[in-house]
Amino acid sequence: MKTYNSIIIGSGLGGLTAGALLALWGKKVLVLEQHYIPGGCATAFKRKDYLMEVGLHEIDGLHEKDFKRPIMEMLGIFEEVEFLKIPEFYYVKRGDFSYVLPEGSKAKAQLIEDFPEEAKAIEVFFTTIEKLYKEMHRMPRGKWLSRLLYPLMPLLYPTVVKTSRSNAGEWLDKQFKDERLKSILTANLGYYTDDPYNLSLMYFLVAQGSYLSGGGHFVKGGSQALSNYLVRFIKQRGGQVLTGKYVEEILIEDKRAVGVAYRDTFNRATPIERLYADTIVANAAQPIVARMLPEPQRSALQEKVGKLKPACSLLSIYLGFNTDLKALGVKHYSTIILNKNKDSLKEMKADAHSPWSERSFTFVNYGAIDSELCPQGKSVGVICTTDYLADWEGLSPEAYHTQKEVVAQTLLARLEVEYPTILSYLEYYEVATAKTIQRYTLNPEGTAYGYVQSIDQMGPAREKATASPVKNLYFASAWAPSGGGYSGAIYSGFFAAEAMKKTVKWHTYTPSQVEDTRQVKLLAKEIIADDTLLLTFEKPKHLIYQVGQYAVLQLDTPKYTDLDLPLRPLSMVSHPSQETLCFAMRLSNSAFKRSVAEMAIGDTATIFAPMGDFTLRPSEHIVFFAAGIGITPIVAMLKELEAQHFAGQVTLCYSCKRETAAAFHKDLQRISLSHYTYLPVFTETQKRIDSTFVIEHIPALLESSCYIVGTHSFVQGIEAILLEQGVQREAIVKDDFN
C-alpha cells in the first residue's frame, strides 16, 4: 500500500530542495537520511566553543540573474535565512606576488587597471559571461523543445554552444598571455575541480560569472541553518524527515520504483521497514543508488554511469582560535596561497598532487564577517586543499591518524609563515580527508562534487548518462547533470521536483507519520557530582548495545540553540540489561548543556545508537585509566565484569580534580569483583598519574589489556607511559574526546 507521494533518499541540499518544493505543492513527503544530522555537506559540528562549518566557503551569486534565486524565493529562504555578503571575492598570494580580486562590477575595472596590456582579453572574459547568461536565460527548459531546436542551437545560442565545446584551460591560454592574471582568474579552481584543461569552459564561466556578478555569501550561523530551514519547511507542510535511517533497497514492481526498504543506520537489531510511494528521489551518487536496485535495473544503471569519472575531493583542517584574527593581520575572508613552484595554468593539475609542503591551499577566516560560529573575541577558520581518496586507502588506523597529523602540521606551519604567531592562538584543530567525506556522505572517491564537469561529461551526454533507467525514480544531487556545489545541488532538486510535477500521476494519501521508536521520554535527573548530571531515559525499542559504546542524544525541543547543535555523543552508563538508558554529563554554559539542565521530566529526546568500538576485549587482566567524565563507559564495563563474575585482576585509575567532582565515586568503591583495585587520583592535592604511579600500583601491567578514556591530552599522555613501560600497542584501547 502506498502512503507517500515521494520518498527522498538522503537529505543533502538536492534532496531537501526537491522535498521542500514537493511539500510546497501539497505532496506528502518523507525524507530518509543515513546520518544523524540532515544536510549532507551543508552541515556543522560542535567542538569546544566553536561551531565548525563543514563545507561552505561562500555561495555564489544571489543576484537578480542568478538561476537559483527564484527557487530560493519560492521556498521563502530569504525570509528566515540570512546571507552575509563576503567583502571581496578572494585574496591571492604566490611568493612575493599578491592580489585582491574584488567581486561584482568592481572586478572588471580593477583588473583592467592593473593589467592594461590584457584589457581586451579581460573585456572578452566578462562579455562572454554576460552573453552566456543572456542565452541561458532564453533557453527553453522543456526537453522536447530543446531537442526540437537542437539543429538551430549554434544560431540561437552561439555562446552556449561554443563554450560547451571548449575547456577552460585552453580558452584562457588563448585569451590571456599573463600567467599571473590567469592564476588570479582561476585561483579558486578547487571550488570545482583540479584541472582547468578537464573542465568545461561553460561550467567555469557560469560559476565564476555568478561570483563576479553577485559576489559570494555565507549563511549566518553556518550552512546547517539553511539545511535546518528546509527540514522545518518540509515538516510544517506535513512531511517528515527521519535521520539515522539507511535505505538498503529501492523496491521495483512492473519496472517502476514503488518504495524503499530501510533500516536503522546504527541499531542493526531493528527490523527492516518497507514504505511505498508514487515516486522515489535519490539524493545520492548513482553508483550508490545502483547497489540499492535489484537486477536488471542495477546493471542498467551501472552500465550507464560506469564510464563517468568522479571529481577530486578536498582535505579540510577545521580551526578554532581564541582571538579575533583581524588583530593578527588576517585582513581577508578568503586567502588563497598558490604553489610558488607551479606558476602556470598548465601546472595546476600537477600542483593538486604535489607535496603538502607546496600544494596550493585556501584559508578562510569566518571571523572576517559576522558568521555567528563562535563567541565574540574568537574565530573559526579552515584550511582547504585538493585531496584524493587513493592517497589514504590501505592505511591502518594508526598510520591514517599519523599521516593526518603530518599533513596538519605541514599546512599549519605554512599558515604561520603567512601570519606569524597565529598558531599561538590556535585552541583546536581537526583534519577531514577524502576518507572522512566518504565516511559521512558515502560518496564514491570521497568527493562532494560528483562527476567531473568536463566537456564529455556535460550537457546532453551527461543528461543521457545520468538519466534514471527506472520509471518514477529521480536523481537530485551533485551527481545529477547540474553538478556539484551548493548551487548545483539546489538546481538538481528543482529539476527533479519540476520533472515530477509535470509527469507523475499523483495520488492523495491520508496524513500519517512513521512512528520513531528512538524518541524517548526523560524519566529522571540527578546531580551526582560537581556540575555533573545523571539523565535517565526510557530505553528505545529494539536497542541492543555493548558496554563501552555511546549514543548521540538529540534534544527534540531544545530551549537554547545559540552557537550550538541540539545533540551530543554520550557514553551509555547503564548496562544493556537495564530497562532504562542512562547518560552522565558535565554541565557547562553551552546551549546544549543549558537546554539539558532545564529539561522537564517527560520531555523527549531522540537516541541514535549504538556507536563506537570502545568495548571489552578478552583478557586475563584489565587496567582502566579514566579522566573526569570519561569514567562513564568504564562504569558500564565494570557492571558487565560483575555480571560475568570476572576472576582476573581489575584496576581502575580514575583521575579527577577533587573527590566531589568524581562521578560515581561511591559506586566505584563498591564494585563486587574478587580482584578489584580502585585508585582515585585527585589532582588538586595529589600528583598526576605518571610512570612511577603505574610501576608502583599495577604489577601485572604487561599481562593486562589497558583501556584509556578522557581528553585527547590525557589519552596521549597515558598511552605514552604505557608504551614506555613495554605494553604492546595492540593491548591498548583508546577513547578520547575534546
Side-chain angles (χ1 to χ4, degrees):
M1 180 183 296
K2 292 182 180 180
T3 50
Y4 293 91
N5 293 121
S6 191
I7 295 174
I8 298 172
I9 305 169
S11 69
L13 282 183
L16 290 178
T17 300
L21 287 167
L22 291 172
L24 177 67
W25 298 333
K27 308 309 174 190
K28 188 179 176 187
V29 174
L30 171 67
V31 181
L32 299 173
E33 165 60 47
Q34 57 91 22
H35 192 23
Y36 53 80
I37 300 176
C41 290
T43 53
F45 61 94
K46 183 72 183 288
R47 296 291 187 269
K48 294 185 179 292
D49 286 338
Y50 308 100
L51 198 59
M52 298 296 190
E53 169 59 48
V54 167
L56 179 62
H57 292 181
E58 48 189 310
I59 293 178
D60 63 281
L62 305 186
H63 51 95
E64 291 181 1
K65 295 181 181 179
D66 188 351
F67 298 110
K68 66 180 172 295
R69 187 175 183 92
I71 304 169
M72 299 171 75
E73 289 175 341
M74 196 187 313
L75 295 174
I77 291 175
F78 295 112
E79 297 169 18
E80 291 194 34
V81 180
E82 185 176 352
F83 293 86
L84 303 170
K85 189 75 173 287
I86 307 304
E88 66 276 320
F89 195 177
Y90 46 70
Y91 168 64
V92 188
K93 186 174 182 184
R94 171 181 277 137
D96 296 332
F97 170 75
S98 62
Y99 195 84
V100 176
L101 182 62
E103 52 82 17
S105 58
K106 302 174 187 176
K108 178 181 173 181
Q110 189 67 55
L111 287 168
I112 290 176
E113 180 181 340
D114 295 331
F115 296 90
E117 70 284 357
E118 296 276 22
K120 184 177 179 180
I122 293 169
E123 287 281 3
V124 170
F125 180 83
F126 283 91
T127 300
T128 304
I129 289 173
E130 290 174 15
K131 289 180 178 178
L132 191 56
Y133 266 80
K134 286 180 181 178
E135 291 180 8
M136 292 184 75
H137 273 286
R138 288 193 287 108
M139 290 182 71
R141 282 203 301 256
K143 286 185 179 180
W144 68 270
L145 187 55
S146 296
R147 288 168 182 163
L148 183 66
L149 294 174
Y150 192 74
L152 301 176
M153 283 283 286
L155 294 175
L156 297 175
Y157 312 105
T159 310
V160 170
V161 173
K162 186 176 180 180
T163 57
S164 67
R165 294 173 179 174
S166 303
N167 70 61
E170 290 178 355
W171 188 83
L172 290 168
D173 284 338
K174 184 178 179 180
Q175 300 299 325
F176 300 99
K177 295 179 180 179
D178 194 314
E179 288 293 342
R180 293 182 306 166
L181 180 53
K182 285 188 277 185
S183 294
I184 291 169
L185 295 174
T186 60
N188 67 325
L189 189 77
Y191 283 10
Y192 319 125
T193 188
D194 57 356
D195 183 3
Y197 298 91
N198 194 37
L199 176 65
S200 160
L201 175 62
M202 183 175 74
Y203 182 86
F204 173 69
L205 291 178
V206 168
Q208 287 295 81
S210 188
Y211 280 116
L212 292 168
S213 299
H217 297 78
F218 183 73
V219 179
K220 192 167 188 175
S223 61
Q224 187 72 64
L226 175 58
S227 298
N228 289 347
Y229 170 78
L230 292 172
V231 169
R232 290 196 306 274
F233 190 96
I234 293 169
K235 289 181 176 180
Q236 288 166 358
R237 286 153 183 80
Q240 191 172 7
V241 179
L242 291 177
T243 54
K245 297 296 185 182
Y246 181 87
V247 173
E248 290 195 334
E249 184 181 358
I250 295 172
L251 305 177
I252 304 294
E253 291 180 6
D254 297 326
K255 300 180 181 180
R256 297 170 179 249
V258 297
V260 299
Y262 70 96
R263 59 171 171 78
D264 190 282
T265 304
F266 309 103
N267 185 8
R268 299 301 181 94
T270 303
I272 291 177
E273 304 282 348
R274 286 175 172 78
L275 290 173
Y276 297 85
D278 296 333
T279 65
I280 308 298
V281 179
N283 174 227
Q286 282 96 344
I288 301 296
V289 178
R291 295 202 289 268
M292 300 176 185
L293 292 169
E295 292 291 2
Q297 289 82 9
R298 174 182 298 189
S299 295
L301 181 55
Q302 287 174 335
E303 185 177 351
K304 282 168 59 68
V305 301
K307 295 180 181 179
L308 297 179
K309 297 179 181 178
C312 63
S313 185
L314 295 171
L315 177 136
S316 299
I317 307 178
Y318 302 106
L319 308 166
F321 298 94
N322 56 14
T323 189
D324 185 338
L325 292 183
K326 291 191 288 290
L328 301 182
V330 184
K331 300 177 182 179
H332 306 288
Y333 175 83
S334 182
T335 299
I336 302 174
I337 306 298
L338 298 177
N339 188 335
K340 61 183 179 181
N341 298 317
K342 301 280 192 299
D343 58 1
S344 74
L345 204 61
K346 288 183 171 62
E347 294 179 292
M348 290 190 78
K349 175 67 173 177
D351 171 40
H353 292 274
S354 61
W356 301 105
S357 58
E358 301 175 5
R359 193 176 305 189
S360 299
F361 71 89
T362 299
F363 173 60
V364 175
N365 172 26
Y366 293 108
I369 56 175
D370 184 22
S371 58
E372 287 194 355
L373 296 179
C374 59
Q376 192 171 5
K378 295 193 173 189
S379 301
V380 167
V382 66
I383 291 173
C384 191
T385 185
T386 50
D387 194 25
Y388 302 88
L389 184 63
D391 293 341
W392 301 97
E393 289 184 316
L395 297 177
S396 67
E398 287 290 340
Y400 176 62
H401 176 79
T402 300
Q403 181 60 20
K404 285 205 301 181
E405 186 62 21
V406 169
V407 173
Q409 293 306 320
T410 301
L411 290 171
L412 287 171
R414 292 178 63 192
L415 183 66
E416 188 154 50
V417 170
E418 304 300 327
Y419 306 106
T421 76
I422 193 172
L423 297 188
S424 302
Y425 301 91
L426 182 60
E427 190 174 25
Y428 182 83
Y429 69 91
E430 184 169 333
V431 181
T433 69
K435 195 170 184 177
T436 311
I437 297 175
Q438 185 190 52
R439 174 187 172 192
Y440 285 103
T441 68
L442 308 182
N443 280 330
E445 299 303 314
T447 178
Y449 295 151
Y451 299 116
V452 177
Q453 292 283 15
S454 55
I455 298 173
D456 58 344
Q457 292 190 173
M458 271 203 68
R462 171 75 162 258
E463 192 169 317
K464 182 179 179 182
T466 59
S468 173
V470 181
K471 192 171 180 61
N472 293 342
L473 172 63
Y474 297 82
F475 298 135
S477 73
W479 302 79
S482 52
Y486 283 59
S487 294
I490 291 170
Y491 297 145
S492 75
F494 170 74
F495 291 139
E498 191 177 55
M500 286 184 277
K501 185 180 182 182
K502 292 178 179 178
T503 61
V504 174
K505 182 180 179 181
W506 300 104
H507 296 84
T508 301
Y509 300 109
T510 304
S512 63
Q513 295 276 302
V514 175
E515 181 188 8
D516 192 350
T517 58
R518 302 165 304 176
Q519 190 178 74
V520 293
K521 293 180 181 178
L522 177 66
L523 301 176
K525 292 195 309 183
E526 179 187 358
I527 295 292
I528 57 172
D530 294 348
D531 297 321
T532 305
L533 188 64
L534 179 66
L535 303 165
T536 302
F537 286 91
E538 296 173 327
K539 189 175 181 179
K541 187 178 180 181
H542 301 298
L543 178 58
I544 297 175
Y545 62 95
Q546 299 180 57
V547 293
Q549 289 188 297
Y550 69 93
V552 168
L553 174 70
Q554 176 182 282
L555 307 182
D556 293 334
T557 54
K559 187 172 182 180
Y560 307 100
T561 58
D562 52 300
L563 297 178
D564 211 340
L565 299 175
L567 48 83
R568 285 292 189 279
L570 296 170
S571 294
M572 292 176 277
V573 180
S574 44
H575 189 270
S577 64
Q578 292 178 240
E579 295 299 317
T580 56
L581 190 63
C582 299
F583 305 97
M585 52 179 267
R586 296 284 198 214
L587 295 174
S588 72
N589 198 41
S590 72
F592 176 82
K593 298 288 183 74
R594 285 185 286 133
S595 295
V596 169
E598 296 190 27
M599 284 182 75
I601 303 304
D603 284 353
T604 63
T606 301
I607 308 295
F608 302 100
M611 302 183 201
D613 57 1
F614 186 73
T615 54
L616 286 170
R617 274 69 161 170
S619 179
E620 293 185 9
H621 304 293
I622 294 173
V623 182
F624 295 116
F625 295 91
I629 199 61
I631 193 64
T632 49
I634 305 302
V635 172
M637 288 178 166
L638 289 170
K639 291 176 183 176
E640 174 63 20
L641 292 173
E642 284 182 314
Q644 294 177 3
H645 303 290
F646 185 74
Q649 176 66 45
V650 178
T651 304
L652 169 59
C653 306
Y654 182 19
S655 176
C656 212
K657 273 191 175 182
R658 64 188 74 89
E659 184 173 343
T660 56
F664 306 103
H665 181 51
K666 292 182 180 179
D667 296 324
L668 296 172
Q669 293 174 351
R670 295 194 290 262
I671 296 296
S672 58
L673 290 169
S674 54
H675 299 92
Y676 171 69
T677 304
Y678 177 41
L679 301 171
V681 177
F682 304 123
T683 56
E684 274 191 349
T685 57
Q686 295 175 261
K687 190 177 179 181
R688 295 179 182 274
I689 299 172
D690 57 14
S691 295
T692 302
F693 179 94
V694 171
I695 293 170
E696 289 179 357
H697 294 93
I698 312 173
L701 181 64
L702 299 184
E703 289 79 47
S704 302
S705 290
C706 299
Y707 297 79
I708 319 171
V709 57
T711 62
H712 184 62
S713 58
F714 176 82
V715 172
Q716 280 190 317
I718 298 297
E719 182 184 27
I721 291 171
L722 296 180
L723 293 173
E724 178 186 293
Q725 295 302 315
V727 176
Q728 295 298 306
R729 196 176 295 275
E730 297 76 25
I732 301 173
V733 186
K734 301 177 293 183
D735 186 16
D736 62 0
F737 56 85
N738 292 279

